[in-house]
């Protein structure tokens, strides 16, 4: 088995430093603490399993903490840190949409936040703006319990992508 240098790096960090780095994948302090406590990881699968287990254990307040770190779809993440850069990359296709689509997404974001009380979360990597908009409109019809399940699934996808990026940092 080939060692993953970023995973060796993550395993070697002090707990508080590991938690800080892991929060770039998922901003929930509870999640980061549980994943950091599960180190050392032998491979990416072990890290992903720890991430999933920690996500499954999150209460809704912890999920809301993670959501608070995500910009609205269509808004450019500010800052120069790793998390902001990843967010800009993940939403790059959405930011290149026609202006009417961008206006529709902004309007949909407002309606979604009014209905559910938090930012619309979707794993936007590889999705065109019209796909995101269709998903947003469809999810507006969900009841709150169903939507929480969808949000949790989308958070899992984003967390997996970012965890993979974190441990493959050269």
């Amino acid at each position: 088995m080939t060692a993953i240098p970023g995973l060796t790096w993550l395993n070697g960090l002090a707990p508080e430093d590991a938690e800080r780095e892991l929060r770039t994948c998922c901003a929930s302090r509870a999640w980061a603490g549980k994943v950091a406590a599960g180190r050392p990881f032998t491979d990416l699968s072990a890290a992903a399993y720890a991430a999933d287990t920690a996500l499954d254990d999150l209460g809704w307040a912890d999920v809301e903490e993670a959501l608070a770190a995500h910009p609205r779809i269509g808004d450019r993440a500010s800052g120069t840190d790793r998390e902001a850069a990843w967010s800009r990359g993940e939403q790059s296709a959405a930011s290149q949409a026609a202006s009417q689509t961008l206006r529709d997404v902004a309007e949909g974001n407002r309606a979604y936040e009014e209905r559910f009380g938090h930012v619309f979360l979707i794993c936007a990597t590889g999705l065109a703006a019209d796909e995101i908009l269709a998903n947003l409109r469809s999810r507006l019809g969900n009841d709150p319990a169903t939507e929480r399940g969808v949000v949790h699934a989308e958070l899992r996808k984003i967390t997996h992508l970012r965890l993979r990026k974190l441990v493959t940092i050269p």
Side-chain angles (χ1 to χ4, degrees), residues 37-103:
R39 296 170 308 139
F41 302 120
T42 55
D43 56 25
L44 183 55
S45 293
Y49 179 79
D52 282 345
T53 301
L55 279 168
D56 290 342
D57 289 344
L58 292 183
W60 185 247
D62 299 315
V63 172
E64 287 180 315
E65 179 182 29
L67 292 174
H70 287 270
R72 287 182 182 97
I73 287 291
D75 287 356
R76 186 168 173 81
S78 61
T80 58
D81 63 352
R82 181 183 320 128
E83 187 176 6
W86 285 347
S87 182
R88 285 190 297 272
E90 292 158 3
Q91 290 195 38
S92 62
S95 65
Q96 299 171 12
S99 38
Q100 182 59 50
T101 302
L102 293 175
R103 284 191 297 275

Side-chain angles (χ1 to χ4, degrees), residues 9-160:
W9 161 78
L10 181 63
N11 284 337
L13 292 175
E16 62 276 4
D17 294 333
E19 288 178 30
R20 184 183 63 254
E21 295 296 339
L22 287 162
R23 282 194 310 270
T24 65
C25 301
C26 175
S28 163
R29 289 179 304 231
W31 178 86
K34 287 178 184 179
V35 175
R39 296 170 308 139
F41 302 120
T42 55
D43 56 25
L44 183 55
S45 293
Y49 179 79
D52 282 345
T53 301
L55 279 168
D56 290 342
D57 289 344
L58 292 183
W60 185 247
D62 299 315
V63 172
E64 287 180 315
E65 179 182 29
L67 292 174
H70 287 270
R72 287 182 182 97
I73 287 291
D75 287 356
R76 186 168 173 81
S78 61
T80 58
D81 63 352
R82 181 183 320 128
E83 187 176 6
W86 285 347
S87 182
R88 285 190 297 272
E90 292 158 3
Q91 290 195 38
S92 62
S95 65
Q96 299 171 12
S99 38
Q100 182 59 50
T101 302
L102 293 175
R103 284 191 297 275
D104 290 347
V105 167
E107 181 182 313
N109 280 333
R110 283 189 293 277
Y112 182 94
E113 289 174 22
E114 270 183 36
R115 176 154 168 68
F116 297 110
H118 56 79
V119 69
F120 170 71
L121 187 73
I122 187 169
C123 183
T125 300
L127 296 180
D130 58 339
E131 293 173 286
I132 293 168
L133 179 59
N135 196 295
L136 172 57
R137 287 176 171 161
S138 172
R139 286 173 51 189
L140 277 167
N142 286 345
D143 63 84
T146 299
E147 186 55 22
R148 282 184 177 193
V150 174
V151 167
H152 202 265
E154 294 297 318
L155 182 59
R156 183 179 308 275
K157 291 178 201 174
I158 293 165
T159 300
H160 273 256

